[in-house]
Amino acid sequence: MQIEWPRQIGVVPPLADCRQHRPSDVALAAAVENTSVTQVLVGLGGVGKTQLAANLAHRMWQDGDVDLLVWVTATSRSSIIAAYAQAIAAATGFTDTEPEQEAARLLTWLANTSRRWLVVLDDLIDPDDLTGLWPPNSLRAGRTVVTTRRRDAALVAGRQVIDVALFTPEDSVAYLNAKLIGLPDLNNDPDGLAADLGYLPLALAQAVAYMIDRNLTCDGYRRRYATRQLQDLTPLSLPDQHRAIVAATWQLSIEHADRLTAGLAQALLKLAALLDPNGIPTELFTTSAALSYCITGARQTDDDDVRDALNVLRQLSLATLADDDRVLRVHALVQRAVRDGTPPDTTPALAQAAADALLESWPDAEREVALEQARRSNTGALLENSGNSLLRPIIHPVLNVAGISLGNTGQLAAALDYFDSLYEKSRRLLGDLHPDTLTTRNNRATFRQKAGDIAASVREFEEILRERSEVLGVDHPDTLTTRNNLATCWGEVGDSTGAAKALALLADDFSRVLGSDDRRTLTTRSNAAHWRSETGDDAGAVAAYQAIVNDLERIFGAQDHDTFVARSNLARARGRGGDSAGALASYEELLADRVRILGPHDPETLATEHLVAIWRGRLGDLKGAIGVADDVRQKAESLLGGTHPEVLRIRNTRARLLGEVGDLDAAIHEFYNLVGDRTSILGYAHPETLTTRHNLADCLGRSGKLEEAIKLAVATLEEARRVSGPDDPLTLTMQATVARLYGERGDAAMALSLHSDLVERHERAHGPTHQVTFAVRHNRAHWLAEAGDIGGSIEALVELLNDQLDSLGDSHPGLISTLHALALWQGRVGAYDDAVSNAIRSLQLAIKEFGRSGHLALTARENAAYWLARRGDKPIALRMYRILLADQERILGPDHPDVSTTRNQIKDLWLNS
C-alpha cells in the first residue's frame, strides 16, 4: 500500500488568536517551539495551553516541518489508545483488531522511523492514563507536547515543564483592543473588564463574544458580571472552538479532586471561594473551625488531610501554593464558579465557618505584616461575598477585629472609613441601639481618639455611655469599657486628676462585677496608675504598678503578655519618679526576658528595645542610645515595614538623639523625612505628626535657623490649638518651644509672656507642685532674667527649689536644672560663692543619677568648673576642664560643640593664669 506524506491524525483546533502575538508570550511561544524534548504545558484551565499547542502544530504543519501530526484528546486512556491506533494505521496502512497492540506498534514505529513527527496529547486529566503510552524521546525525528492541569511529580519528572500563566494586564487590554477594533463604542473600559475577569484568556475571549452578540459595552458586561451567574454570560457560540463555557471549565478537575480526597477538596474550595483570591493563609484551613466544617460523614479530618487536599488542588491547577505553602491562591473566576455552584441556603453556615477560622487564626499581637494584611483582605472579601451572613443576627467579631488591626498598624484614616461603613451597615440591619451597633460605634470613636480628634471622641463616648447604660445596664462590661475610654480621653485633654479618679472608681466597679482577678479589672487598675503618674504622684504610681505586676504574675504567670506590659509600665513610672537608672535596668531586664520568650525580632521585643534606647539617652549615653536605635530600626523595618507606627516612633527617637549628640544636620534631614511620612500616613494634624514638626522646629532653632524654626513652630502650635485646644499637653509643650525660640531670637518679653501663660495653665490643671508645672516655672524664671529682671528670676528659682525640696526630696534629679539655673544667675550678679555652691550640688546629683559620663553630668561638670574659675579657683577649674575634655572627646567626639567650648575655656584659663 502506498502511503502519502504528510499525514494528519485527529482534529487540531483552529489557529487561535487569544495567545498569539502578546508581548509577554513571545518567550513562552519560543520555549514551546524551539526544542525537541518532551514538553508538558501546565496551567489553570482557560489560560490557553491548548491554543499554544495548536499554534505550534499549525506552524509546523504549514512549514512542512512534520510528516506525521497526531493530535490526541487525552481525556481518558481509551481515547489515547484509539488515537494511537488510528495513527499507526494511517502511517503504515495496516490495521489490527486489538487497539492495545496497535498503540504499542505506534510507539515502536515512532522510535524507529526517520519520518518527522509531532504528537500532541491535549488536556491530559490523569497521568496514569499514559502509563506505557508515552511517545519515545526521539531527538532525531520527533517530539511530544502534553497539555494538562496536573502537576504530579510522575508527570513532570525528566520532562521540560512550561508554566502557562495568565495574561498580564497589558496583554489583556491589547487583546480586547484587537478584538473590538471595529467596535470602539463597546470598548469603553478594557482595564476594568480585564481586572474583573482576572486576566484569564478564556474568560476574555468569551466576554468579547458575548459583548459582540449583544452589542454590550465593557461597562454593561461588568454590571451583568457583578449580578449574574457565570453560566448566564455564555455567548451564542463559543469562540475559537472552546469546548466549555467558563462556568464549567474547572468542573471535571473539581470532581476529580473530590474523588482523590474523599470530598475534602470541594469543602476547602468552598471556603476559599469566599476569601481573597490574591492569597489565603493556609493556617486558616487547619483551624478547629475549618476542620469542623470539613468533616465528611463520620470520618474525622486532621491537619495532614487538609495539607494533602491543598496539594491535590495545586496538582490539578485549581490553586497555587506560595511562600513555603503558607499562602493559597485561587483564581477569582474559579472562586466565582464554585460560589455559583454552591446552594444559597448553605452560604450562611459556610461564611460563619470561614469567619470563625479567620478569627481563630488571628494572633493577639501582630507578628507578620504580610499575614496581618492578608487576614484583613480575606475578611473584606468574605464580607463582600457572603451577603449579610456576617452582619445579622449579630456582627461577627472578626469584622471588628479586622478594623482594629487596620488602625493598630497606623492606617487611622482607613480604619475610620472602615468603621464608618460597618457602623452604617449595623445601624441599617440591626438598629441604632443594638449592642453590636454600639460596639462598632465605640471602635470608631476609639480610632477618632487615636487620630487626635479627642473632642469629638469625648462627645461620642458620652453618647455611647448613655446608650449602653440604658440598653445593657450600668454594670455591663461593655458599659464599663466605655467609661474607661471616656476617662482616658479626659486625661488626654489635660484632666489627669479627673482621669485618675474616674479610673480608680471604675477599677472598683470592674472588681465588683467581674472579680479582682479579671484581666479587665487589672487593665483598668493599670490605666488608673498611668494617670496617677501624670498627676505627679509618681511614688503612688510605682506602688500601684508593682502591685499589678505581683497580681498578674500570681494569676497568669511571669511570661504572660499582660505581665510583660505591666512590667514595662512599672519601669516607665520609676523613670518618671526620678529613678532613671532603675528604669533603664528594668527595661533591659524586660528586654532579655522578651528575647528569651518571644525572640529578638518579635514586635513587642522591638518595642522594648526601643524603650531601652530612649532611657539610655536620658541617662546621657547618647552614642549607645543611637546604636540601639539604629539596630532596632533595621529590625523593625524588616519585620513591620518602613511606615509602621512603631518604626516611625523609632525614627523619631533616633532623630532626636542625633540632635542631642550635636549632629543637627542629620537630625533635621531625618525629621523632614519623618514629617512627610507621618503626614501621609497619619494625617497633617495627628498628634504624632505635630510632635515631629515640633521636634524639627526645635532642631532648626538649635542649628541657628531661627526664622524658619519660628515659622514652623508657630504654625504647628496654631494647628495643635485648633485640633486639641489650648490646654492640651501637646499644645502646651509646643507653646513652650515657641516661647524659647522667640527668646533666642532676642524677644525675651514675648518668651516671658508665653511662659507666664503656661505657668497659669499648668497650675490650674495640675497645681503648683506638679513636675510639669515645675518645668514651666523654671523656664519662666529664665526668661524673667533674660528680660532684665535677674533679681526676680533668682527669687523665683529659690521659691521653685524650696517647693521641689518639699515635694520631691533633696536627691531628686529634677533639682539639677534648678540648681544649674540658680548658679547661672547668681554668678551673673557676682554672687560667685552661691553660684559655686549650687553648681556643685547640681553636679553631685547629676553624677549620682547619671554617672560621670552621663550627658547631664558632663554639663554639670562644665558648669562647676566655669564658676570655680570665675570665683578665682583657676587651678582647680583648669584641672576639672582637662579631665572633662578627655571624657567629652571620648563620649561626644572631637567635633562636638561642647568639646570646642571646653577647649576654649582651657585656653583662656591657661593664658590668664
Side-chain angles (χ1 to χ4, degrees):
M1 178 179 179
Q2 184 69 31
I3 304 298
E4 296 181 3
W5 300 98
R7 306 299 301 272
Q8 183 178 132
I9 310 302
V11 178
V12 182
L15 195 65
D17 63 0
C18 192
R19 288 217 75 125
Q20 287 193 96
H21 312 307
R22 302 279 76 80
S24 64
D25 276 350
V26 171
L28 181 62
V32 173
E33 295 197 12
N34 298 328
T35 187
S36 57
V37 301
T38 298
Q39 293 175 313
V40 181
L41 309 187
V42 180
L44 174 69
V47 293
K49 303 180 295 296
T50 296
Q51 291 178 326
L52 280 170
N55 290 342
L56 171 69
H58 280 288
R59 187 200 62 73
M60 294 186 72
W61 182 260
Q62 292 166 0
D63 292 350
D65 292 339
V66 293
D67 298 318
L68 178 65
L69 170 61
V70 182
W71 187 276
V72 181
T73 300
T75 53
S76 66
R77 185 175 180 87
S78 60
S79 65
I80 296 170
I81 290 172
Y84 280 11
Q86 183 184 3
I88 190 60
T92 64
F94 297 102
T95 60
D96 194 308
T97 58
E98 294 293 332
E100 292 273 1
Q101 294 178 11
E102 291 279 79
R105 198 156 61 88
L106 172 69
L107 297 178
T108 301
W109 185 87
L110 292 175
N112 294 291
T113 185
S114 60
R115 294 287 182 180
R116 298 164 301 172
W117 53 266
L118 169 65
V119 175
V120 178
L121 295 152
D122 182 40
D123 199 16
L124 178 68
I125 292 178
D126 188 346
D128 288 344
D129 290 344
L130 272 179
T131 301
L133 295 178
W134 278 97
N137 284 324
S138 175
L139 300 181
R140 178 173 57 86
R143 62 181 293 190
T144 303
V145 174
V146 179
T147 74
T148 183
R149 305 175 194 185
R150 298 291 292 264
R151 296 177 181 271
D152 305 58
L155 174 65
V156 301
R159 303 177 178 94
Q160 182 186 19
V161 177
I162 297 177
D163 277 300
V164 183
L166 302 166
F167 275 167
T168 66
E170 295 76 16
D171 291 346
S172 301
V173 172
Y175 173 76
L176 291 171
N177 290 341
K179 297 296 288 185
L180 297 172
I181 190 169
L183 302 165
D185 291 343
L186 302 187
N187 196 25
N188 62 349
D189 187 10
D191 294 281
L193 178 59
D196 281 355
L197 298 178
Y199 313 110
L200 183 70
L202 171 63
L204 291 166
Q206 294 190 11
V208 166
Y210 184 90
M211 290 163 60
I212 294 173
D213 288 345
R214 290 160 177 78
N215 196 36
L216 196 65
T217 66
C218 290
D219 280 346
Y221 186 92
R222 294 183 69 194
R223 285 192 296 272
R224 296 190 185 189
Y225 176 80
T227 58
R228 299 186 183 184
Q229 292 202 339
L230 290 176
Q231 64 186 13
D232 297 330
L233 300 175
T234 305
L236 298 178
S237 59
L238 297 180
D240 300 332
Q241 293 191 7
H242 288 299
R243 289 191 290 268
I245 62 174
V246 169
T249 299
W250 307 284
Q251 189 56 41
L252 287 176
S253 295
I254 294 172
E255 291 172 358
H256 190 52
D258 242 20
R259 288 193 296 273
L260 293 174
T261 62
L264 181 56
Q266 187 163 157
L268 293 174
L269 262 183
K270 286 181 178 180
L271 285 173
L274 295 179
L275 299 169
D276 183 14
N278 298 308
I280 306 165
T282 52
E283 63 185 8
L284 263 66
F285 300 108
T286 55
T287 59
S288 60
L291 292 175
S292 296
Y293 175 79
C294 291
I295 289 174
T296 54
R299 181 177 179 273
Q300 293 295 312
T301 301
D302 60 22
D303 293 7
D304 289 338
D305 294 329
V306 169
R307 281 188 280 269
D308 290 344
L310 294 177
N311 271 299
V312 167
L313 294 176
R314 178 188 60 81
Q315 289 171 351
L316 295 176
S317 294
L318 289 167
T320 59
L321 287 166
D323 298 340
D324 295 328
D325 294 348
R326 297 179 70 195
V327 174
L328 181 80
R329 296 191 178 101
V330 182
H331 193 278
L333 280 170
V334 176
Q335 290 181 310
R336 178 67 178 273
V338 172
R339 291 199 302 271
D340 284 355
T342 301
D345 61 342
T346 66
T347 297
L350 180 61
Q352 288 291 321
D356 289 346
L358 271 167
L359 184 63
E360 185 180 338
S361 70
W362 219 297
D364 292 333
E366 182 181 346
R367 296 286 183 266
E368 297 180 73
V369 173
L371 280 179
E372 195 82 356
Q373 175 58 46
R375 292 185 189 97
R376 292 194 296 270
S377 298
N378 276 276
T379 303
L382 177 59
L383 180 60
E384 181 178 350
N385 292 326
S386 59
N388 293 328
S389 298
L390 303 184
L391 297 169
R392 61 183 182 194
I394 62 170
I395 301 290
H396 195 285
V398 78
L399 300 183
N400 279 296
V401 169
I404 292 168
S405 168
L406 185 65
N408 286 344
T409 63
Q411 301 176 72
L412 298 176
L416 284 170
D417 288 343
Y418 178 92
F419 279 115
D420 277 339
S421 174
L422 187 59
Y423 173 58
E424 291 304 321
K425 289 184 175 75
S426 186
R427 286 184 64 196
R428 176 171 51 83
L429 295 171
L430 304 177
D432 288 341
L433 298 180
H434 190 281
D436 288 351
T437 304
L438 295 175
T439 295
T440 304
R441 187 179 177 191
N442 186 84
N443 289 334
R444 182 180 69 170
T446 296
F447 285 105
R448 274 190 180 160
Q449 173 190 353
K450 290 188 176 184
D453 192 357
I454 309 296
S457 298
V458 167
R459 292 192 298 271
E460 187 146 23
F461 281 133
E462 287 174 342
E463 293 177 10
I464 297 168
L465 178 58
R466 176 179 53 79
E467 291 170 351
R468 276 184 160 171
S469 297
E470 293 174 358
V471 174
L472 304 174
V474 294
D475 285 340
H476 191 280
D478 289 353
T479 306
L480 300 179
T481 297
T482 303
R483 284 175 57 191
N484 175 83
N485 296 339
L486 181 57
T488 300
C489 284
W490 291 340
E492 290 182 0
V493 295
D495 186 7
S496 303
T497 302
K501 290 180 178 177
L503 288 163
L505 292 173
L506 179 60
D508 291 340
D509 287 339
F510 263 121
S511 179
R512 175 175 52 81
V513 173
L514 301 176
S516 59
D517 290 349
D518 187 86
R519 286 188 187 273
R520 284 165 288 188
T521 302
L522 294 164
T523 298
T524 308
R525 286 172 56 193
S526 181
N527 293 340
H530 168 79
W531 291 109
R532 186 173 182 177
S533 175
E534 292 295 326
T535 66
D537 184 7
D538 293 310
V542 168
Y545 276 130
Q546 185 63 69
I548 294 166
V549 169
N550 294 341
D551 286 341
L552 285 166
E553 288 181 341
R554 172 180 56 82
I555 301 165
F556 302 112
Q559 298 179 6
D560 184 77
H561 170 267
D562 288 345
T563 304
F564 280 152
V565 171
R567 286 174 60 191
S568 181
N569 292 334
L570 175 58
R572 177 180 180 274
R574 284 174 175 156
R576 285 179 57 89
D579 185 9
S580 299
L584 177 59
S586 296
Y587 278 124
E588 288 177 334
E589 182 182 352
L590 176 60
L591 176 61
D593 288 343
R594 279 190 153 153
V595 168
R596 179 173 53 84
I597 302 300
L598 303 175
H601 296 93
D602 185 87
E604 294 180 11
T605 303
L606 298 178
T608 305
E609 192 172 358
H610 177 206
L611 290 167
V612 168
I614 291 172
W615 285 94
R616 278 197 182 180
R618 290 182 182 178
L619 274 168
D621 181 12
L622 297 176
K623 285 192 174 180
I626 290 171
V628 175
D630 283 337
D631 180 57
V632 74
R633 174 183 176 176
Q634 291 176 7
K635 290 187 288 190
E637 284 184 342
S638 175
L639 178 68
L640 304 173
T643 57
H644 189 276
E646 183 61 25
V647 174
L648 298 180
R649 294 185 193 107
I650 295 167
R651 288 171 56 190
N652 186 80
T653 295
R654 180 180 179 276
R656 181 177 51 76
L657 289 167
L658 287 171
E660 291 180 11
V661 84
D663 193 354
L664 291 171
D665 288 341
I668 289 169
H669 176 75
E670 180 62 24
F671 277 131
Y672 267 123
N673 291 336
L674 190 56
V675 165
D677 289 342
R678 277 187 158 166
T679 299
S680 63
I681 295 164
L682 303 176
Y684 180 79
H686 189 275
E688 293 187 10
T689 307
L690 296 177
T691 297
T692 305
R693 291 168 59 192
H694 164 264
N695 292 341
L696 173 59
D698 177 67
C699 277
L700 288 169
R702 286 192 284 137
S703 70
K705 301 175 182 177
L706 282 172
E707 294 304 323
E708 184 180 355
I710 289 172
K711 182 178 179 181
L712 176 60
V714 169
T716 305
L717 174 59
E718 291 175 352
E719 187 67 18
R721 283 173 173 163
R722 182 187 67 81
V723 173
S724 304
D727 293 323
D728 181 80
L730 180 59
T731 303
L732 298 178
T733 299
M734 292 175 180
Q735 182 172 325
T737 298
V738 169
R740 178 175 57 78
L741 290 170
Y742 273 123
E744 290 175 357
R745 192 178 68 174
D747 193 347
M750 174 65 82
L752 178 59
S753 174
L754 288 170
H755 273 109
S756 296
D757 178 66
L758 284 171
V759 170
E760 291 177 7
R761 292 182 184 278
H762 280 291
E763 286 185 338
R764 186 168 60 245
H766 306 299
T769 60
H770 191 281
Q771 287 197 56
V772 177
T773 308
F774 284 154
V776 294
R777 287 173 62 189
H778 175 278
N779 292 336
R780 180 183 180 277
H782 173 82
W783 292 109
L784 188 65
E786 292 287 358
D789 188 2
I790 296 179
S793 174
I794 292 173
E795 289 179 8
L797 288 167
V798 169
E799 181 183 358
L800 172 60
L801 181 61
N802 290 331
D803 287 345
Q804 288 178 310
L805 288 168
D806 290 341
S807 176
L808 305 175
D810 59 5
S811 61
H812 193 281
L815 304 177
I816 296 171
S817 60
T818 307
L819 290 166
H820 174 87
L822 259 178
L824 170 66
W825 297 113
Q826 287 166 339
R828 290 280 181 90
V829 297
Y832 294 125
D833 287 340
D834 290 337
V836 168
S837 175
N838 286 319
I840 290 176
R841 288 175 66 192
S842 174
L843 172 59
Q844 290 169 339
L845 286 174
I847 290 175
K848 177 183 177 183
E849 180 66 20
F850 305 114
R852 290 182 58 82
S853 300
H855 179 67
L856 284 179
L858 294 176
T859 301
R861 288 165 63 187
E862 192 278 331
N863 187 42
Y866 179 85
W867 290 117
L868 280 166
R870 292 301 176 271
R871 192 175 70 174
D873 298 325
K874 293 183 180 180
I876 298 175
L878 187 59
R879 190 160 56 250
M880 288 182 67
Y881 271 131
R882 284 173 174 162
I883 297 172
L884 174 64
L885 178 62
D887 288 343
Q888 285 178 325
E889 288 179 334
R890 174 176 55 82
I891 297 165
L892 303 177
D895 299 325
H896 193 278
D898 290 353
V899 176
S900 299
T901 299
T902 303
R903 286 197 190 107
N904 290 333
Q905 295 290 356
I906 292 172
K907 181 179 178 181
D908 290 343
L909 279 174
W910 184 77
L911 290 174
N912 295 315
S913 61

